[in-house]
Coordinates of all heavy atoms in Angstrom, one line a residue:
Chain A
P34 N 104.8 98.1 173.9 CA 104.9 97.5 172.5 C 106.2 97.2 172.1 O 107.2 97.9 172.4 CB 104.3 98.7 171.7 CG 104.5 99.9 172.7 CD 104.5 99.4 174.0
L56 N 117.3 103.5 164.7 CA 117.7 102.7 163.5 C 117.5 103.5 162.2 O 118.2 103.2 161.1 CB 117.2 101.3 163.5 CG 117.5 100.5 164.6 CD1 117.0 99.1 164.4 CD2 119.0 100.4 164.8
Q58 N 118.5 106.2 161.6 CA 119.7 106.9 161.3 C 120.6 106.1 160.3 O 121.7 106.5 159.9 CB 120.5 107.4 162.5 CG 121.2 106.2 163.3 CD 121.9 106.8 164.5 OE1 123.1 107.2 164.3 NE2 121.5 106.5 165.6
V89 N 126.7 98.9 162.2 CA 125.6 99.7 163.1 C 126.0 99.3 164.6 O 125.9 100.3 165.3 CB 124.2 99.0 162.7 CG1 123.2 99.4 163.7 CG2 123.9 99.3 161.3
L121 N 125.3 89.4 164.5 CA 125.2 90.8 165.2 C 126.2 90.7 166.4 O 126.3 89.7 167.1 CB 123.9 91.0 165.5 CG 123.5 92.2 166.4 CD1 123.7 93.4 165.6 CD2 122.0 92.1 166.8
F162 N 125.1 91.2 187.1 CA 124.9 90.3 188.4 C 126.3 90.0 189.2 O 126.6 88.9 189.4 CB 124.3 89.0 188.0 CG 122.9 88.9 187.4 CD1 122.8 89.0 185.9 CD2 121.9 89.1 188.2 CE1 121.6 89.2 185.4 CE2 120.6 89.3 187.6 CZ 120.5 89.2 186.2
A165 N 126.7 87.5 192.2 CA 125.6 86.4 192.3 C 126.1 85.1 192.1 O 127.1 84.9 191.5 CB 124.5 86.8 191.3
G172 N 128.0 80.2 179.8 CA 128.4 81.3 178.9 C 127.6 81.4 177.6 O 126.7 80.4 177.3
H176 N 128.3 82.6 167.3 CA 127.9 81.9 166.2 C 128.9 80.9 165.5 O 128.5 80.0 165.1 CB 127.3 82.9 165.1 CG 126.8 82.2 163.8 ND1 125.7 81.4 163.9 CD2 127.3 82.1 162.6 CE1 125.5 80.9 162.6 NE2 126.4 81.3 161.8
A192 N 136.4 76.9 184.7 CA 136.5 76.0 185.9 C 137.7 75.0 185.9 O 137.9 74.3 186.6 CB 135.3 75.1 186.0
N201 N 132.9 64.4 179.5 CA 131.9 63.6 180.2 C 130.6 64.4 180.2 O 129.6 63.8 180.6 CB 132.3 63.0 181.4 CG 133.5 62.2 181.3 OD1 133.7 61.4 180.3 ND2 134.4 62.1 182.3
L222 N 117.8 81.0 175.0 CA 117.6 79.5 174.9 C 119.1 79.0 175.4 O 120.1 79.3 174.8 CB 117.5 79.0 173.3 CG 116.2 79.5 172.6 CD1 116.4 79.6 171.1 CD2 115.1 78.6 172.9
F246 N 134.2 79.2 194.1 CA 133.3 78.0 193.9 C 132.9 77.3 195.2 O 133.6 77.4 196.2 CB 134.0 76.9 193.1 CG 134.2 77.3 191.6 CD1 135.5 77.7 191.2 CD2 133.2 77.3 190.7 CE1 135.7 78.1 189.7 CE2 133.5 77.5 189.5 CZ 134.6 78.0 188.9
E253 N 120.4 72.1 199.8 CA 120.8 73.5 200.1 C 120.7 74.4 198.9 O 120.2 75.6 198.9 CB 122.2 73.7 200.7 CG 122.3 73.4 202.1 CD 123.7 73.7 202.7 OE1 124.2 74.7 202.4 OE2 124.1 72.8 203.4
R259 N 114.8 78.3 196.0 CA 113.4 78.6 196.3 C 113.1 79.8 197.2 O 112.1 80.5 197.0 CB 112.9 77.3 197.2 CG 111.3 77.1 197.4 CD 111.0 75.9 198.1 NE 111.8 75.7 199.4 CZ 112.4 74.6 199.7 NH1 112.3 73.6 198.9 NH2 113.2 74.5 200.9
F264 N 120.8 83.7 193.1 CA 121.3 83.3 191.8 C 121.1 84.4 190.7 O 120.1 85.2 190.8 CB 120.7 82.0 191.4 CG 121.3 80.7 191.8 CD1 120.8 80.0 192.9 CD2 122.4 80.2 191.1 CE1 121.4 78.8 193.3 CE2 122.9 79.0 191.4 CZ 122.5 78.4 192.5
N267 N 118.6 83.6 185.3 CA 118.4 82.5 184.4 C 118.9 81.2 185.0 O 118.5 80.0 184.7 CB 118.8 82.7 183.0 CG 120.3 83.0 182.8 OD1 121.0 82.9 183.8 ND2 120.6 83.3 181.6
L276 N 116.7 69.8 189.3 CA 116.0 69.3 190.3 C 114.8 68.3 189.8 O 114.4 67.3 190.3 CB 115.4 70.4 191.2 CG 116.4 71.2 191.9 CD1 115.6 72.3 192.6 CD2 117.3 70.4 193.0
G291 N 103.4 73.5 186.2 CA 103.7 74.8 185.8 C 105.3 74.9 185.7 O 105.7 75.6 184.6
L300 N 109.1 80.3 172.0 CA 109.5 81.6 171.8 C 108.8 82.1 170.6 O 109.4 82.6 169.5 CB 111.1 81.7 171.6 CG 111.8 81.3 172.8 CD1 113.2 81.5 172.8 CD2 111.2 82.1 174.2

Side-chain angles (χ1 to χ4, degrees):
Chain A
L56 298 184
Q58 69 177 287
V89 169
L121 173 69
F162 299 97
H176 179 64
N201 296 331
L222 295 156
F246 286 102
E253 276 188 45
R259 190 177 54 226
F264 269 101
N267 59 8
L276 296 174
L300 298 183

